[in-house]
Amino acid sequence: MAFLRLDPIDLKILDAIQRDGRITKLALAEQVGLSPTPCWMRLRKLEKAGIVAGYHAKIAMRVVAPVATVLMEVTLAYHRQADFDRFERVIRDIPEIVACWSVGGGVDYVLKVMARDIDGYQRLVDTLLEREIGIDRYFTFVVTKTVKDETVLPLADLLPAQS
């Protein structure tokens, strides 16, 4: 897969919009050291390339209502492609499952579930088991405190060194 080369200005643009998705064109241009038109053209290029996948608001859910955040490890009974496909198709349609990662190691998936309470989480698990989507085992980890939940990616640290 060919990756788009990002220069220092591109990285500044991406960093700025990660921190403030509502930043004005003028403020963005000033922050990255470009005039507005070239800055806006670069941002459009990054969007068209799929590097900027969207703009979102981060909701402080615990300010709105008490919620239970639960991490769930899932191991499937069988490991045929059809088994993975069936599980993933069902998981995508459940709004309380806000993230799902296919992982290597001793389990097949790690899910992040947000429910009204632990009883709501257990009802969700019961429904998943009743649907017979191939779950062999699952383990539940109730989040008691969020220590870090960063949405800003450290782009400069993650990209390969550019020569």
Side-chain angles (χ1 to χ4, degrees), residues 62 65-70 96 113-121 142-143:
R62 291 188 188 264
V67 294
T69 302
V70 180
E96 295 90 348
V113 180
M114 295 190 73
R116 288 189 180 154
D117 51 31
I118 296 302
D119 187 51
Y121 166 73
V142 177
V143 175

Side-chain angles (χ1 to χ4, degrees), residues 24-36 39:
T24 66
K25 294 177 195 178
L26 184 60
L28 179 61
E30 289 174 1
Q31 194 168 334
V32 302
L34 288 177
S35 59
C39 182

